[in-house]
Every structure is written in structure tokens, then in C-alpha cells.
Amino acid sequence: MMIYSCPRIDIFTDDDPTVSPITVLPAELLIEIFAYCISNEGHAPLTLRKVCSWWQNLVDTSPRLWQTIILDDGDGNIFTEQQAKLWTTRSQPLKYDIELNVEDPQYILPLLSPLLPSVDRWRSFRLSGNRDEEIILDDLNLTPNTLTHLHLCFHDNDQDDFDDDEPRITFSPISPDRASSYALNLWISNIPSPHLLPPLRFVHVTIAEGSQTGLHTQPRSILDFLTACPELESFFLSGWPHNTRIAGNLPVVFLPNLITLHLKSTCFVRVLLSCLNTPRLQNLYLSHLNVNFDLIGSYHDEGDSEDEAHDYSQSPSSDQATGMGLRRLITCCSPPIRVLEMDFSDMRTKDFLYVFDRLPLLEDFHIVASDMSDKVIYFFRPIRHMGYGYVTGLRLPRLRKLRLTNCQRLSGRAIVDSLSDRVKWSDIEYPDHTLTDVSISGCEGFTQWDRHILSTVLGPRLRPEA
């Protein structure tokens, strides 16, 4: 075997000590060296481009050098929007890889959020630290428009109590048969501060507290986070009824696009409803808000006085909280609510009257396991002049769908009288907005004879009991 050698070229002289061997390396070889540096230090491009104008030009015009973004919660720095724009611009037209190393999962969203607007250019996503995961993005139809959902689930990361079969996928379709919309799923112990986030484009956000681990949050953290979601259309809070004092002054959050709000199993219903400005809200779901203990907090707003009806309730404190929260929401922005569902969520009689008088667009009302009395069901009757008896108005004039489920304090006579009186009048005066779908089930006071009497008025509009 013959060995060839190139003649040595002496380009360095004592007369020019500033000349360095690296200055004569070809650009292709320098790029290989730079790529090796970047594989070990993610922010190396920022340092390399500061050496000299030649290196700056070489780095800035080499998309390959910007093709890997390494993020780490240990360096104390959050990847800024400006840095994200620099990387995504310099790496064009190539796709890029994200390597995220985090020990505290609450930093995942702050680190990733500046890059979410260009998620369609992600080639791969690798997560390491507290847990490991790797996703090849070419397998997903992930774009800024399809990444619509954000799920924040409270989890004590010091306890590895996840079921082995439980999926822990950061990006996933919102349902197996709907791959056109994706969710970013994060397991956190604290809600990220909005000060660490750019405006987020998610239109659906879910926050789920951890009842098993006892992890929970405060209304201030929830409201502050919502300020980072200006495009939000749907918000679901699934909490657990921890009775704690509310800390800090609470802001009123303006959510101009919010259409659906669902609050479940939380003792914060009053403050959350009181602090939301939702002028387009159409669907309000309140579930499992009833508690049999007194909620912490002292309030003296108009309407907090004792309910003059003196009706019995198994959950008087939470009834008042729910009712007063709804009052504040309606007073703040008069939302055009069309669907109101109350599942194990109740109000005082005076609150039902206040709400019914101020929801002229409500079309669908469903209430489950309510302690409401006959006084409330009588609010569905036409309003008659006290002296002459003629009809002067109708509460909930656009109500078309009514469902009463397991409301044990309602009498059959009150249900029959109220709904019969309403329908006989509205069928003539408001035929386009009269009741068309009525379901009454599990209400012990509503007998089969009552059902028969009401069916003579409603006909097929009264559903058979399931």
C-alpha cells in the first residue's frame, strides 16, 4: 500500500502572528466543526456568530446549523419569542428538531410555547428528564391550526403513581377518530405563570386538579393563566372540593371568544364566575358544585342577604356561591347563554328568579338532583298582572328544551300546572319558541298520573321516562 503525502504549505510567518490556522479552513469544513459544537451545546450558534463577520455570515446562511433546538430548564433561561423567530427563520427551508430536557414539568409549556406557532415545521420532538418520550412529527398532521387543545393535569411528580397502561403522550389526537385536532397534554404541579408565556393560540383548555394527590390551585393562578389565552373558545375546570381561603386580589379576565364554560367539583365557582367577562358565552355547564359544608369567605354584595323564600337546601353555602357567581357574571357582560346545565349544582330560590329574569335567549335548561322547591318551577308560568290577571310576560321566552332529573322536592301538581299553563299560552303567542322537548325523570313527586295529565297538553313533546 502506498502512502501519499501533501507538501506542507507554510502560510504562517513571524511577521503576521494574527493569522490562525482556522482562517484558511474551507467553509464546508467549518460548518462540520460548527455542527459538532452545536450537537453538544444547543445555543452555540449564538456564540459562533459573534466571533467575526465571516463566521456570522457562515452561521446565518447555513440552515443546517439551526436545525436542532436544545432546551433545558436547568440553565435558568426561557426560550424567548425573539430567539424562536431567529431559529425558525435561519433554519428555513428545513424542518427542525426539538430536544427538551426538563426536571420540572411546569417549564415545558414556557419553553415550548414560543415555538408552537411553527409546530408544522417540527421534524421530531424529544423529551427527557422527569420522563422520556420521542415523537416523529412526520407521522402527525400537527399544525398551528390543528393543535387546538391544551390539557393541564395536576400530578405530584415526586410520586410516580401513574398506571403503566396510562398513556402519557405529550401530543395526541383529541379522539381516536378525529386526527384533525390535537391536544398538548402536560402533567404539572403548578400552573405556569403568564409572565413566562407568549399569547397562546389554544381554543380549548382543560385544567384538572389531582384529587388523589391533593394537588390543587388557586383562582388567581387560573385567572392569570387565562389571560394568556386570548383566542379561547372553551374552558373546562375539573377540580375537587377543597375549602381553602382565596389568596390575593383577583383580576377580571376578558375572554371575548369564549363560547363554552364548564366548572366541575370546585369551591371557587363564585369567584371564577365573578371574574370572567365573557360577552359571547352561550353554553354554561355547572356540575358537582354542591357541598354540605360552609365555604370559607365573607361577602356582602347585593343579593347576599338571606333568601326570603326560606326553602330547604342540603347545600345552602354552595347554593349561595353558585347563585351569586351567576349574578355577577350576568351583571358584568349579559352573556347570550343558550344552554344552562346544572348537575348536582343548585341555587337559592331568589337566585333562580334573578337568573331566569335575565336569560332571554336560553333555549335548553337541564337540572339534576336539585333541592329547588315548587316556587322555582312556578317561575316557568306566564307572568300575570296582579290585579287583572292578564299575561304581561314570560320568563325564559325562548326556552324549548327542559329536563328535570332527580329533583325530589318538586310536586307533580306544580310541574303539571306550571308547564301546562306555559305551553297553552306560548303555543299561541310564541309558537316558534314554545317548549318542544320536555324530559322529567327520577322526580318522586311526579307520578304516572301526573305524567298522563301533562301528556294531554304536551303530547309527544313529553318524553317517556327512561
Side-chain angles (χ1 to χ4, degrees), residues 5-13 21:
S5 62
C6 295
R8 183 174 183 270
I9 301 177
D10 293 321
I11 62 172
F12 308 106
T13 68

Side-chain angles (χ1 to χ4, degrees), residues 2-22:
M2 299 182 65
I3 299 177
Y4 296 92
S5 62
C6 295
R8 183 174 183 270
I9 301 177
D10 293 321
I11 62 172
F12 308 106
T13 68
D14 294 336
D15 297 335
D16 191 5
T18 62
V19 177
S20 171
I22 202 169

Side-chain angles (χ1 to χ4, degrees), residues 209-399:
E209 292 184 321
S211 58
Q212 295 181 349
T213 59
L215 291 178
H216 58 84
T217 186
Q218 278 277 336
R220 178 60 187 260
S221 298
I222 297 171
L223 294 169
D224 283 347
F225 180 78
L226 293 180
T227 63
C229 306
E231 299 183 27
L232 194 63
E233 296 178 7
S234 171
F235 175 57
F236 176 31
L237 171 65
S238 178
W240 65 282
H242 50 89
N243 193 19
T244 56
R245 190 169 299 280
I246 298 169
N249 295 322
L250 301 179
V252 174
V253 180
F254 180 53
L255 298 174
N257 301 306
L258 192 73
I259 296 175
T260 300
L261 174 63
H262 187 175
L263 302 179
K264 178 181 179 182
S265 300
T266 178
C267 292
F268 300 145
V269 60
R270 175 171 182 153
V271 293
L272 292 176
L273 290 177
S274 299
C275 293
L276 293 177
N277 184 349
T278 56
R280 295 183 60 196
L281 183 67
Q282 297 183 25
N283 309 305
L284 179 59
Y285 302 93
L286 306 173
S287 56
H288 296 264
L289 300 178
N290 290 349
V291 295
N292 58 2
F293 51 80
D294 290 336
L295 298 177
I296 295 176
S298 178
Y299 302 94
H300 304 285
D301 297 332
E302 183 178 355
D304 272 314
S305 59
E306 185 177 355
D307 187 3
E308 296 79 5
H310 301 292
D311 286 330
Y312 170 80
S313 173
Q314 300 180 72
S315 52
S317 184
S318 58
D319 291 359
Q320 181 173 346
T322 302
M324 290 303 298
L326 257 177
R327 284 172 177 245
R328 291 290 298 273
L329 176 69
I330 293 171
T331 301
C332 174
C333 57
S334 299
I337 297 175
R338 287 172 167 78
V339 176
L340 175 60
E341 292 196 7
M342 304 179 67
D343 184 0
F344 282 87
S345 302
D346 228 329
M347 294 189 292
R348 301 169 299 174
T349 298
K350 63 190 293 185
D351 297 323
F352 276 112
L353 178 59
Y354 184 95
V355 170
F356 288 171
D357 278 341
R358 290 163 177 81
L359 295 183
L361 301 180
L362 190 71
E363 300 173 358
D364 185 345
F365 179 57
H366 184 196
I367 188 162
V368 180
S370 171
D371 285 329
M372 67 181 185
S373 70
D374 287 348
K375 297 172 186 175
V376 175
I377 200 67
Y378 278 129
F379 293 153
F380 289 89
R381 304 176 77 169
I383 304 170
R384 298 184 181 276
H385 189 278
M386 292 293 292
Y388 298 97
Y390 60 83
V391 174
T392 61
L394 187 69
R395 297 183 180 90
L396 308 177
R398 298 204 174 194
L399 188 68

Side-chain angles (χ1 to χ4, degrees), residues 17 23 45 55 66 68 95-96 120 147 160 163 183 234 265 270 339 343 347 360 370 395 445 463:
T23 61
W55 282 23
W66 303 88
T68 300
K95 290 192 172 184
Y96 58 89
D120 54 328
L147 185 59
D160 191 13
D163 190 323
S234 171
S265 300
R270 175 171 182 153
V339 176
D343 184 0
M347 294 189 292
S370 171
R395 297 183 180 90
R463 290 189 181 186

Side-chain angles (χ1 to χ4, degrees), residues 449-465:
W449 178 249
D450 295 321
R451 181 175 295 277
H452 168 71
I453 297 298
L454 187 57
S455 67
T456 61
V457 179
L458 295 180
R461 291 180 285 184
L462 178 62
R463 290 189 181 186
E465 185 168 14

